[in-house]
Amino acid sequence: MTFLKALIPGFLLTWVVSGIIGSNGSRGGMLAIQNTYIQNGYIEGYTFYWSWPLFLAGTGLAWALFWMMDS
């Protein structure tokens, strides 16, 4: 259950930090920020900046913190 709770802060951290760094034109070095496109239906689509290494690190950190609070 703690892992599922940790996904939310990991997602929010990645979305905010990648959005700020990516919108300034930087790739973030080891964060490997990329512009991602998701198509919704036939016409619409959404673009946003995303970083899988940052998501995994943020989720792991949140998971560890939630696990320590439960113990």
Side-chain angles (χ1 to χ4, degrees):
M1 185 66 182
T2 57
F3 177 73
L4 295 177
K5 287 192 281 187
L7 288 174
I8 296 169
F11 170 78
L12 290 175
L13 173 76
T14 304
W15 185 54
V16 169
V17 171
S18 295
I20 292 170
I21 294 174
S23 66
N24 289 323
S26 177
R27 303 260 314 153
M30 289 187 67
L31 294 179
I33 295 173
Q34 56 190 354
N35 194 0
T36 306
Y37 177 78
I38 294 181
Q39 186 173 356
N40 182 15
Y42 294 104
I43 298 172
E44 296 181 57
Y46 302 102
T47 61
F48 59 95
Y49 292 98
W50 190 254
S51 169
W52 283 110
L54 181 60
F55 176 72
L56 293 176
T59 302
L61 178 63
W63 190 7
L65 289 173
F66 286 144
W67 176 73
M68 285 188 274
M69 289 187 337
D70 283 343
S71 296

